Amino acid sequence: MAAQGGLADSENMDAKTELNHFCQRYCQRPVTKNDILYSTNKFGNQYQAIVKLNCIQGQEYAGHLCLNQKDAEKSAAQQAVLALTPQMAKLPPPLSKDPAKKKKKVPLTPQQLAEKKARQAEEGDNPAITPKTKLNTLVMKIAKRYLQKGETAYECKKYTGGFQATVKITALPGEWGERAWAGHLCSTKQMAEQSAAEIALAQIEEDKELTEEAAKPKGQGKGKGKGKGKGWGYMMDPWDWSYMMWGGMPSGPNLPREKVISGSSIIGEVFEWKDTYGWLKATSSIDHPQAGKRDGKIYVSKKDINGATVLEKGQKVSFTVYEDPSGLGAENVQIL
């Protein structure tokens, strides 16, 4: 006799079908081929199967040794059914297929409809809004322009347990444009790319500089002078576009430089360091139109440090100043 609240009342229903029905009720949607995955191993003349429920936090259940692969999969499904029995009674009963017994939906008022849409926007219920779309939207806000083909590059590799993807976003400023984010191991290539995008999105959103830049209106820039202080969102002329199409736009320490102050070095302090780059603060004011950009902070790359590759917050340093399209930077950095 079936337990109360079981997956199915039919004694003729096999375990794999019962498990499918349970997952449909659990997820409140049709089950896809990637939601329930079976893998089988052969031990001598017998088979053992493992079922992985990606739709239920990736839970796995192993079946008994069987004479063939089909029975091994049924055994694994049966173990999953037995383990999930306590959850059966907690699920709502399946909806009736009889149209006469279906409840009629009460139409929402305009106010209720507006509240529902606002709630979906906050909770991210829209299936079209994925980590990849959120990441592209944020990067466009930072760059103040539409992204070009290849500026968000995903690379996916297949491993024994599934797929893993990395994403690199060359449209981001400074060292950010040289980073690559790796996602978790996933069952499909699409899920792997979404995982990489989700991790990249989280790290970018944690950076104060980038979030402040994303919040600025399009076209707002502090840079003046001889065309160098355009900021991150300047409009490129046709030669710039041609250069980007043929070779890709440089970023960070690879941007074209122009010395601002020649001769003696400037004394300053390390304001912040982030693995491969950081920000300095000069102890005295710098007379330059871009000096006030980024709240007076000066970009520094590890390649511009003499005799070292990292800096620590609070260190005293001397350096010379250069200018590139993103602002002021430090080179010939010497730890004092």
Short mmCIF file of all heavy atoms in Angstrom, two decimals, residues 165-203:
data_model
loop_
_atom_site.label_atom_id
_atom_site.label_comp_id
_atom_site.label_asym_id
_atom_site.label_seq_id
_atom_site.Cartn_x
_atom_site.Cartn_y
_atom_site.Cartn_z
N ALA A 165 33.12 27.30 -17.45
CA ALA A 165 33.32 28.44 -18.36
C ALA A 165 34.07 29.56 -17.66
O ALA A 165 34.02 29.69 -16.43
CB ALA A 165 31.98 28.95 -18.88
N THR A 166 34.77 30.36 -18.45
CA THR A 166 35.39 31.59 -17.98
C THR A 166 34.88 32.74 -18.84
O THR A 166 34.50 32.54 -20.00
CB THR A 166 36.92 31.53 -18.09
OG1 THR A 166 37.29 31.29 -19.45
CG2 THR A 166 37.48 30.44 -17.20
N VAL A 167 34.85 33.93 -18.27
CA VAL A 167 34.40 35.10 -19.01
C VAL A 167 35.44 36.21 -18.82
O VAL A 167 35.95 36.42 -17.71
CB VAL A 167 33.01 35.58 -18.56
CG1 VAL A 167 32.98 35.92 -17.08
CG2 VAL A 167 32.55 36.77 -19.39
N LYS A 168 35.75 36.91 -19.91
CA LYS A 168 36.66 38.04 -19.88
C LYS A 168 35.96 39.23 -20.54
O LYS A 168 35.36 39.07 -21.60
CB LYS A 168 37.96 37.70 -20.62
CG LYS A 168 39.05 38.75 -20.47
CD LYS A 168 40.34 38.28 -21.09
CE LYS A 168 41.46 39.31 -20.89
NZ LYS A 168 42.73 38.88 -21.50
N ILE A 169 36.05 40.40 -19.90
CA ILE A 169 35.31 41.58 -20.36
C ILE A 169 36.30 42.70 -20.63
O ILE A 169 36.69 43.44 -19.72
CB ILE A 169 34.26 42.02 -19.32
CG1 ILE A 169 33.45 40.81 -18.86
CG2 ILE A 169 33.35 43.09 -19.88
CD1 ILE A 169 32.66 41.06 -17.61
N THR A 170 36.72 42.83 -21.86
CA THR A 170 37.74 43.82 -22.21
C THR A 170 37.20 45.24 -22.21
O THR A 170 37.99 46.20 -22.27
CB THR A 170 38.33 43.50 -23.60
OG1 THR A 170 37.28 43.47 -24.57
CG2 THR A 170 39.04 42.15 -23.59
N ALA A 171 35.88 45.42 -22.15
CA ALA A 171 35.31 46.76 -22.14
C ALA A 171 35.45 47.43 -20.78
O ALA A 171 35.25 48.65 -20.67
CB ALA A 171 33.83 46.71 -22.52
N LEU A 172 35.81 46.67 -19.74
CA LEU A 172 35.97 47.25 -18.42
C LEU A 172 37.27 48.04 -18.35
O LEU A 172 38.24 47.72 -19.04
CB LEU A 172 35.97 46.16 -17.36
CG LEU A 172 34.63 45.47 -17.10
CD1 LEU A 172 34.81 44.30 -16.14
CD2 LEU A 172 33.59 46.45 -16.57
N PRO A 173 37.34 49.05 -17.48
CA PRO A 173 38.54 49.90 -17.42
C PRO A 173 39.68 49.24 -16.64
O PRO A 173 39.47 48.37 -15.80
CB PRO A 173 38.03 51.15 -16.69
CG PRO A 173 36.94 50.61 -15.81
CD PRO A 173 36.27 49.53 -16.61
N GLY A 174 40.89 49.71 -16.92
CA GLY A 174 42.06 49.32 -16.14
C GLY A 174 42.29 47.81 -16.14
O GLY A 174 42.06 47.11 -17.12
N GLU A 175 42.77 47.33 -14.99
CA GLU A 175 43.08 45.90 -14.85
C GLU A 175 41.84 45.02 -14.94
O GLU A 175 41.93 43.82 -15.20
CB GLU A 175 43.78 45.66 -13.50
CG GLU A 175 45.16 46.29 -13.38
CD GLU A 175 46.19 45.53 -14.19
OE1 GLU A 175 45.92 44.37 -14.54
OE2 GLU A 175 47.27 46.09 -14.45
N TRP A 176 40.68 45.60 -14.71
CA TRP A 176 39.44 44.82 -14.80
C TRP A 176 39.27 44.22 -16.20
O TRP A 176 38.71 43.14 -16.37
CB TRP A 176 38.23 45.69 -14.46
CG TRP A 176 38.13 46.01 -13.00
CD1 TRP A 176 38.59 47.13 -12.37
CD2 TRP A 176 37.54 45.21 -11.97
NE1 TRP A 176 38.34 47.08 -11.03
CE2 TRP A 176 37.67 45.92 -10.76
CE3 TRP A 176 36.88 43.98 -11.96
CZ2 TRP A 176 37.19 45.42 -9.55
CZ3 TRP A 176 36.41 43.48 -10.76
CH2 TRP A 176 36.56 44.19 -9.57
N GLY A 177 39.73 44.95 -17.21
CA GLY A 177 39.61 44.46 -18.57
C GLY A 177 40.53 43.31 -18.90
O GLY A 177 40.41 42.71 -19.97
N GLU A 178 41.45 42.98 -18.00
CA GLU A 178 42.38 41.88 -18.23
C GLU A 178 42.05 40.66 -17.37
O GLU A 178 42.69 39.62 -17.48
CB GLU A 178 43.81 42.35 -17.93
CG GLU A 178 44.26 43.51 -18.80
CD GLU A 178 45.63 44.02 -18.42
OE1 GLU A 178 46.24 43.42 -17.52
OE2 GLU A 178 46.08 45.00 -19.03
N ARG A 179 41.06 40.79 -16.51
CA ARG A 179 40.71 39.69 -15.62
C ARG A 179 39.86 38.65 -16.35
O ARG A 179 39.23 38.93 -17.36
CB ARG A 179 39.93 40.19 -14.40
CG ARG A 179 40.76 41.00 -13.43
CD ARG A 179 39.97 41.27 -12.16
NE ARG A 179 40.72 42.04 -11.20
CZ ARG A 179 40.29 42.28 -9.96
NH1 ARG A 179 39.12 41.83 -9.57
NH2 ARG A 179 41.02 42.98 -9.12
N ALA A 180 39.85 37.45 -15.78
CA ALA A 180 38.97 36.38 -16.26
C ALA A 180 38.33 35.73 -15.04
O ALA A 180 39.00 35.47 -14.04
CB ALA A 180 39.74 35.35 -17.07
N TRP A 181 37.03 35.51 -15.12
CA TRP A 181 36.28 34.90 -14.01
C TRP A 181 35.87 33.48 -14.39
O TRP A 181 35.34 33.25 -15.49
CB TRP A 181 35.03 35.72 -13.68
CG TRP A 181 35.34 37.04 -13.05
CD1 TRP A 181 35.46 37.32 -11.73
CD2 TRP A 181 35.55 38.30 -13.72
NE1 TRP A 181 35.74 38.65 -11.53
CE2 TRP A 181 35.80 39.27 -12.73
CE3 TRP A 181 35.56 38.67 -15.06
CZ2 TRP A 181 36.04 40.60 -13.03
CZ3 TRP A 181 35.81 40.00 -15.37
CH2 TRP A 181 36.05 40.96 -14.36
N ALA A 182 36.10 32.53 -13.51
CA ALA A 182 35.74 31.14 -13.76
C ALA A 182 34.49 30.78 -12.96
O ALA A 182 34.37 31.13 -11.78
CB ALA A 182 36.88 30.21 -13.37
N GLY A 183 33.56 30.10 -13.60
CA GLY A 183 32.33 29.67 -12.94
C GLY A 183 32.46 28.28 -12.34
O GLY A 183 33.52 27.66 -12.36
N HIS A 184 31.36 27.79 -11.79
CA HIS A 184 31.33 26.46 -11.19
C HIS A 184 31.15 25.40 -12.28
O HIS A 184 30.76 25.69 -13.40
CB HIS A 184 30.18 26.36 -10.19
CG HIS A 184 30.30 27.35 -9.06
ND1 HIS A 184 31.34 27.35 -8.17
CD2 HIS A 184 29.49 28.38 -8.69
CE1 HIS A 184 31.19 28.32 -7.29
NE2 HIS A 184 30.08 28.97 -7.58
N LEU A 185 31.44 24.16 -11.92
CA LEU A 185 31.23 23.03 -12.82
C LEU A 185 29.73 22.79 -12.96
O LEU A 185 29.02 22.62 -11.97
CB LEU A 185 31.93 21.79 -12.27
CG LEU A 185 32.24 20.67 -13.27
CD1 LEU A 185 33.23 21.15 -14.31
CD2 LEU A 185 32.79 19.45 -12.54
N CYS A 186 29.22 22.78 -14.19
CA CYS A 186 27.79 22.65 -14.45
C CYS A 186 27.53 21.54 -15.46
O CYS A 186 28.43 21.09 -16.17
CB CYS A 186 27.21 23.98 -14.96
SG CYS A 186 27.41 25.36 -13.81
N SER A 187 26.27 21.12 -15.52
CA SER A 187 25.90 19.99 -16.39
C SER A 187 25.81 20.40 -17.85
O SER A 187 25.90 19.55 -18.74
CB SER A 187 24.58 19.39 -15.93
OG SER A 187 23.56 20.37 -15.94
N THR A 188 25.61 21.67 -18.14
CA THR A 188 25.50 22.13 -19.53
C THR A 188 26.40 23.34 -19.76
O THR A 188 26.80 24.04 -18.81
CB THR A 188 24.06 22.52 -19.89
OG1 THR A 188 23.69 23.70 -19.14
CG2 THR A 188 23.09 21.38 -19.59
N LYS A 189 26.70 23.58 -21.03
CA LYS A 189 27.53 24.71 -21.40
C LYS A 189 26.83 26.03 -21.06
O LYS A 189 27.46 26.98 -20.59
CB LYS A 189 27.83 24.65 -22.90
CG LYS A 189 28.69 25.79 -23.42
CD LYS A 189 28.94 25.65 -24.91
CE LYS A 189 29.75 26.82 -25.45
NZ LYS A 189 29.98 26.72 -26.91
N GLN A 190 25.52 26.08 -21.30
CA GLN A 190 24.77 27.31 -21.03
C GLN A 190 24.79 27.65 -19.54
O GLN A 190 25.00 28.81 -19.16
CB GLN A 190 23.31 27.16 -21.51
CG GLN A 190 23.15 27.09 -23.02
CD GLN A 190 23.51 25.73 -23.60
OE1 GLN A 190 23.70 24.77 -22.85
NE2 GLN A 190 23.60 25.64 -24.92
N MET A 191 24.59 26.63 -18.70
CA MET A 191 24.61 26.86 -17.25
C MET A 191 26.00 27.28 -16.79
O MET A 191 26.14 28.10 -15.88
CB MET A 191 24.15 25.61 -16.52
CG MET A 191 22.69 25.25 -16.74
SD MET A 191 22.24 23.65 -16.02
CE MET A 191 22.51 23.98 -14.27
N ALA A 192 27.04 26.72 -17.42
CA ALA A 192 28.41 27.08 -17.05
C ALA A 192 28.70 28.55 -17.36
O ALA A 192 29.33 29.25 -16.57
CB ALA A 192 29.39 26.17 -17.79
N GLU A 193 28.24 29.02 -18.51
CA GLU A 193 28.45 30.43 -18.86
C GLU A 193 27.67 31.35 -17.92
O GLU A 193 28.18 32.41 -17.53
CB GLU A 193 28.02 30.66 -20.31
CG GLU A 193 28.94 30.00 -21.32
CD GLU A 193 28.54 30.32 -22.76
OE1 GLU A 193 27.47 30.94 -22.95
OE2 GLU A 193 29.28 29.94 -23.69
N GLN A 194 26.46 30.95 -17.54
CA GLN A 194 25.69 31.75 -16.60
C GLN A 194 26.39 31.81 -15.24
O GLN A 194 26.38 32.84 -14.56
CB GLN A 194 24.27 31.17 -16.44
CG GLN A 194 23.42 31.22 -17.68
CD GLN A 194 23.00 32.63 -18.08
OE1 GLN A 194 23.26 33.59 -17.38
NE2 GLN A 194 22.32 32.75 -19.21
N SER A 195 27.01 30.69 -14.84
CA SER A 195 27.72 30.66 -13.56
C SER A 195 28.91 31.61 -13.57
O SER A 195 29.16 32.35 -12.61
CB SER A 195 28.19 29.23 -13.27
OG SER A 195 28.97 29.19 -12.10
N ALA A 196 29.67 31.61 -14.67
CA ALA A 196 30.81 32.53 -14.78
C ALA A 196 30.35 33.98 -14.76
O ALA A 196 30.96 34.84 -14.12
CB ALA A 196 31.59 32.23 -16.06
N ALA A 197 29.25 34.26 -15.46
CA ALA A 197 28.71 35.63 -15.49
C ALA A 197 28.25 36.06 -14.10
O ALA A 197 28.44 37.21 -13.70
CB ALA A 197 27.55 35.70 -16.48
N GLU A 198 27.65 35.13 -13.36
CA GLU A 198 27.15 35.45 -12.02
C GLU A 198 28.29 35.82 -11.08
O GLU A 198 28.19 36.76 -10.30
CB GLU A 198 26.37 34.26 -11.47
CG GLU A 198 25.66 34.53 -10.16
CD GLU A 198 24.79 33.37 -9.73
OE1 GLU A 198 24.99 32.25 -10.23
OE2 GLU A 198 23.90 33.58 -8.89
N ILE A 199 29.41 35.09 -11.17
CA ILE A 199 30.57 35.38 -10.31
C ILE A 199 31.20 36.71 -10.70
O ILE A 199 31.56 37.52 -9.84
CB ILE A 199 31.57 34.22 -10.40
CG1 ILE A 199 30.99 32.97 -9.73
CG2 ILE A 199 32.90 34.60 -9.74
CD1 ILE A 199 31.82 31.74 -9.87
N ALA A 200 31.34 36.96 -12.00
CA ALA A 200 31.89 38.24 -12.45
C ALA A 200 31.01 39.40 -12.02
O ALA A 200 31.50 40.43 -11.55
CB ALA A 200 32.04 38.22 -13.97
N LEU A 201 29.71 39.22 -12.16
CA LEU A 201 28.76 40.27 -11.78
C LEU A 201 28.89 40.61 -10.30
O LEU A 201 28.91 41.78 -9.91
CB LEU A 201 27.34 39.81 -12.10
CG LEU A 201 26.20 40.76 -11.74
CD1 LEU A 201 26.27 42.03 -12.57
CD2 LEU A 201 24.84 40.09 -11.95
N ALA A 202 29.00 39.59 -9.45
CA ALA A 202 29.07 39.81 -8.01
C ALA A 202 30.34 40.59 -7.64
O ALA A 202 30.30 41.51 -6.82
CB ALA A 202 29.04 38.47 -7.28
N GLN A 203 31.48 40.25 -8.26
CA GLN A 203 32.73 40.94 -7.93
C GLN A 203 32.73 42.38 -8.43
O GLN A 203 33.23 43.27 -7.76
CB GLN A 203 33.91 40.17 -8.51
CG GLN A 203 34.17 38.84 -7.81
CD GLN A 203 35.48 38.21 -8.23
OE1 GLN A 203 36.32 38.85 -8.85
NE2 GLN A 203 35.66 36.95 -7.89
#
